[in-house]
Amino acid sequence: MNFSRSLRTYLALHSWPVFLFLYAPLAIIVLFSFNRSPVSVQFTGFSTAWYTSLFHNQDILAALGRSLELGIGSASLGTVLGTLLGYGVYRYRAAGLAWLGLLVYLPIIMPSIVFGISEMIFFTYVHQFTGFLSAGLLTMGVAHVTFQIPYVALVVYSRLVGLDRHLFDAAQDLYANPWKIFFHLVLPVTRPAVVAGFLLAFTLSFDDFVISFFTSGPDSMTLPLYIYGAVAKKGVSPEINAVASLMIGMVLVAAITNLLVSRSKEQAQRPSRPWLRSH
């Protein structure tokens, strides 16, 4: 008992400094987003004027709209292609083609700046010889899909690896063709992984700066690019802190919603035991 209590105390003493190190900068951003003074290093009073100014800033709203359009569009396509890739790697990993799965890791471990420069050069050559894929939202979407696919594929593949391979044999014994196996077995089983892959792909796209910087055009500025340009020109302002605070709030709401939904599903799946109440 004493050992367990001392262990909890030891872990708490080491955990809280880590939490403070992780979340103190975010708390400071939220605090100074309500700063009355435009000088971000001096807190002179509480004010919501910067949030009002934020929602009247057409440039920020336009950048936010492009980020949402880019994130949802690229995540949708990346999820479809990543799911198919993950299923393909799983099905053929025992057929002498398992080494192809290693290619999935390359875009993940490759530095983003290298990936972004290579995409920029590729789009430049394609536009030079064909006239298509000029720098803009389309090239950003293609680039985002290419780095989203491996993440979705790994999430789906990790879910499929945990399945019993005899399920596929049983489906074939019941005369199910490959399409029926995919739609009636693979998709229902991997639905949570597919949803998680979509959310991950959207987050990666919405948050991306480096690859977007090299593949964007003059009329395709996303929210991260706008924030970088505003900070480079004017420094960190309370308005930028307000944008960051709203992004933090969106992530926090999404995390809490996911936690509540997961808990409700767990409670719904628990078997009821009325005999416990009777005794």
Side-chain angles (χ1 to χ4, degrees):
M1 181 66 69
N2 293 332
F3 174 77
S4 177
R5 182 177 301 175
S6 61
L7 179 61
R8 288 198 300 267
T9 303
Y10 176 80
L11 293 176
L13 291 176
H14 286 76
S15 299
W16 286 110
V18 174
F19 291 145
L20 181 64
F21 177 77
L22 290 175
Y23 296 107
L26 301 180
I28 292 175
I29 288 177
V30 175
L31 174 64
F32 280 96
S33 67
F34 296 99
N35 188 14
R36 182 179 300 173
S37 172
V39 182
S40 59
V41 295
Q42 298 178 359
F43 191 86
T44 59
F46 183 86
S47 175
T48 59
W50 301 109
Y51 287 90
T52 304
S53 174
L54 173 65
F55 287 107
H56 288 83
N57 191 323
Q58 297 300 321
D59 294 334
I60 293 181
L61 296 179
L64 175 61
R66 295 189 195 99
S67 293
L68 293 175
E69 179 183 356
L70 179 63
I72 295 175
S74 62
S76 300
L77 182 58
T79 300
V80 173
L81 298 178
T83 300
L84 295 175
L85 178 60
Y87 177 58
V89 173
Y90 169 76
R91 287 292 289 170
Y92 297 103
R93 73 187 191 280
L97 299 176
W99 59 271
L100 291 176
L102 298 176
L103 298 177
V104 178
Y105 291 95
L106 289 181
I108 296 177
I109 63 178
M110 185 181 300
S112 298
I113 189 170
V114 176
F115 193 86
I117 293 175
S118 63
E119 291 283 344
M120 179 187 65
I121 295 175
F122 172 75
F123 292 139
T124 300
Y125 276 109
V126 170
H127 181 68
Q128 180 179 354
F129 289 104
T130 65
F132 298 102
L133 292 180
S134 59
L137 204 60
L138 179 60
T139 55
M140 295 173 68
V142 174
H144 283 207
V145 170
T146 55
F147 73 74
Q148 289 170 347
I149 290 176
Y151 288 95
V152 179
L154 290 178
V155 173
V156 174
Y157 175 79
S158 63
R159 178 68 181 92
L160 290 172
V161 168
L163 294 181
D164 187 355
R165 289 187 59 85
H166 293 91
L167 292 174
F168 295 92
D169 297 333
Q172 291 176 352
D173 291 340
L174 294 173
Y175 304 101
N177 57 38
W179 287 106
K180 288 185 178 180
I181 293 176
F182 180 77
F183 284 105
H184 295 285
L185 174 61
V186 175
L187 281 184
V189 171
T190 60
R191 186 180 293 114
V194 173
V195 174
F198 174 82
L199 295 176
L200 177 62
F202 174 79
T203 303
L204 291 172
S205 174
F206 192 84
D207 188 55
D208 179 73
F209 169 77
V210 177
I211 297 176
S212 299
F213 179 81
F214 287 103
T215 58
S216 64
D219 297 326
S220 58
M221 180 175 292
T222 58
L223 190 59
L225 295 178
Y226 176 86
I227 293 175
Y228 172 79
V231 172
K233 293 179 180 179
K234 304 178 182 179
V236 180
S237 64
E239 193 174 35
I240 298 300
N241 290 333
V243 175
S245 299
L246 291 177
M247 296 176 68
I248 295 171
M250 291 172 57
V251 173
L252 185 61
V253 169
I256 294 175
T257 303
N258 179 63
L259 179 62
L260 295 177
V261 171
S262 300
R263 286 187 175 180
S264 62
K265 288 183 177 180
E266 291 178 359
Q267 293 177 356
Q269 292 175 356
R270 289 177 182 175
S272 60
R273 299 178 179 178
W275 56 273
L276 291 177
R277 294 191 296 268
S278 63
H279 292 283

